[in-house]
């Protein structure tokens, strides 16, 4: 049979687990966001790099062909020579601009030369694989959180037979140790990457999820009403005694 200490401990253990799950979900969410931002920033640059390489290749090929044609063109065909020279000059200028853009693109990708692009592409592939794993972990922890919420709701129904103030007192007494266990669990898992602010936010998330503030306000209101009743009873007794003494 459930007692206040038993059910209070069960509810606080579930609450501590939910804090851990929320921390994990927040950590995963932040990791996914950073990875997506990097991928979304880099992918267009890789696309443009590929386009530039192809344009440079095509224009270099055309320039080489025109140079060969100019060489074979008799010098006395002045209009033809001038046209070829003009087009070769245009291509030379365009190639310089394309190569300059490519160099700037490599610099923005922190690549010292074209060979570095292979590393960037490998990084993108690694991040895309990591994103899939994080999505799986996110689904796992979401399922565990939802399961904990269902268990908590079941326990909540069972508390109807208990005095809410006594139950709340019992839970408050257990809360610091339970929250400490949640913090220890997360610190052990994440080591130097543990974020106290994220833990604070996770505790707040769970409190909001369980509507704890509303519940505490309700209990405080009941306590206030009880206190008012006691005060009124004392005053009534005093009036009655004073009336009897007179």
């Amino acid at each position: 049979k459930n007692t206040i200490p038993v059910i209070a401990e069960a509810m606080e253990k579930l609450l501590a687990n939910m804090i851990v799950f929320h921390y994990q979900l927040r950590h995963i969410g932040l990791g996914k966001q950073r990875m997506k931002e990097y991928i979304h920033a880099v992918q267009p640059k890789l696309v443009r790099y590929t386009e530039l390489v192809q344009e440079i290749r095509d224009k270099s090929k055309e320039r080489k062909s025109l140079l060969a044609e100019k060489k074979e063109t008799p010098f006395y065909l002045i209009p033809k020579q001038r046209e070829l020279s003009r087009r070769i000059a245009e291509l030379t200028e365009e190639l310089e601009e394309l190569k300059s853009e490519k160099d700037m693109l490599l610099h923005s990708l922190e690549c010292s030369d074209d060979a570095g692009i292979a590393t960037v592409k490998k990084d993108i592939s690694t991040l895309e694989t990591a994103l899939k794993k994080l999505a799986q972990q996110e689904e796992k922890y979401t399922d565990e959180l939802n399961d904990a919420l269902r268990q908590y709701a079941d326990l909540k129904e069972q508390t109807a037979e208990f005095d809410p103030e006594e139950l709340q007192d019992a839970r408050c007494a257990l809360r610091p140790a339970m929250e400490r266990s949640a913090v220890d669990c997360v610190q052990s898992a994440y080591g130097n990457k543990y974020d106290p602010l994220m833990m604070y936010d996770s505790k707040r998330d769970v409190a909001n999820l369980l509507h704890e503030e509303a519940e505490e306000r309700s209990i405080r209101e009941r306590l206030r009403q009880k206190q008012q009743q006691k005060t009124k009873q004392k005053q009534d007794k005093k009036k009655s005694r004073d009336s009897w003494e007179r």
Side-chain angles (χ1 to χ4, degrees):
K1 183 182 177 180
N2 276 334
T3 61
I4 284 180
V6 170
I7 205 163
E9 183 176 3
M11 292 179 81
E12 287 303 304
K13 279 183 178 179
L14 282 171
L15 185 140
N17 288 340
M18 283 187 269
I19 290 172
V20 173
F21 297 147
H22 256 277
Y23 186 98
Q24 289 166 324
L25 288 169
R26 273 184 169 273
H27 191 271
I28 288 170
L30 184 61
K32 285 176 65 178
Q33 180 185 341
R34 287 172 177 168
M35 288 179 190
K36 286 179 179 178
E37 285 174 355
Y38 177 80
I39 291 171
H40 292 161
V42 169
Q43 277 184 330
K45 293 180 181 179
L46 289 176
V47 171
R48 181 56 184 155
Y49 172 83
T50 302
E51 292 172 350
L52 286 169
V53 169
Q54 188 59 49
E55 286 182 53
I56 290 169
R57 186 181 292 119
D58 292 343
K59 289 184 183 295
S60 295
K61 186 178 178 181
E62 184 183 355
R63 182 176 179 277
K64 184 178 180 181
S65 175
L66 290 175
L67 284 169
E69 185 180 350
K70 185 172 183 289
K71 188 176 181 181
E72 296 298 323
T73 300
F75 71 90
Y76 52 81
L77 296 178
I78 296 174
K80 179 69 173 176
Q81 283 278 0
R82 285 178 177 172
E83 175 59 25
L84 288 170
S85 295
R86 183 190 65 77
R87 182 58 187 146
I88 289 168
E90 283 180 354
L91 286 170
T92 300
E93 187 176 345
E94 288 171 5
L95 281 167
E96 286 301 317
E97 290 176 357
L98 290 170
K99 288 176 181 177
S100 176
E101 184 182 350
K102 183 166 76 75
D103 288 342
M104 290 174 65
L105 200 57
L106 287 170
H107 180 73
S108 72
L109 291 170
E110 298 182 357
C111 298
S112 57
D113 52 35
D114 293 293
I117 290 295
T119 302
V120 175
K121 289 180 177 179
K122 186 179 178 181
D123 289 343
I124 292 291
S125 178
T126 300
L127 288 176
E128 287 174 339
T129 301
L131 275 173
K132 290 177 183 177
K133 290 181 179 178
L134 285 178
Q136 292 172 351
Q137 290 178 1
E138 190 173 41
E139 184 178 355
K140 172 179 176 286
Y141 292 132
T142 299
D143 288 343
E144 290 183 357
L145 175 62
N146 289 334
D147 184 55
L149 281 169
R150 283 191 290 270
Q151 292 181 53
Y152 188 91
D154 289 341
L155 288 173
K156 192 79 172 171
E157 288 181 5
Q158 297 174 41
T159 64
E161 61 185 283
F162 300 118
D163 181 276
E165 294 151 31
E166 288 186 32
L167 178 62
Q168 187 70 9
D169 287 344
R171 291 186 62 186
C172 286
L174 294 168
R175 181 71 55 91
M178 291 297 181
E179 286 189 346
R180 184 67 248 173
S181 71
V183 171
D184 289 344
C185 176
V186 172
Q187 282 182 324
S188 176
Y190 291 92
N192 293 333
K193 293 182 180 179
Y194 170 75
D195 184 348
L197 182 58
M198 189 177 289
M199 174 56 72
Y200 173 84
D201 289 338
S202 300
K203 290 176 182 178
R204 184 194 58 198
D205 289 343
V206 173
N208 291 337
L209 195 64
L210 301 177
H211 308 293
E212 280 202 324
E213 288 186 10
E215 185 179 339
E216 287 178 6
R217 281 198 299 270
S218 176
I219 290 172
R220 283 197 297 269
E221 179 61 22
R222 285 198 295 270
L223 283 170
R224 187 183 66 80
Q225 289 174 355
K226 275 194 171 184
Q227 187 61 41
Q228 285 179 341
Q229 288 175 357
K230 287 179 181 178
T231 303
K232 188 175 183 302
Q233 286 172 357
K234 285 181 179 179
Q235 289 174 345
D236 290 345
K237 283 182 180 178
K238 187 176 185 303
K239 285 180 181 178
S240 177
R241 187 170 60 251
D242 290 346
S243 176
W244 180 79
E245 287 176 350
R246 283 197 298 267

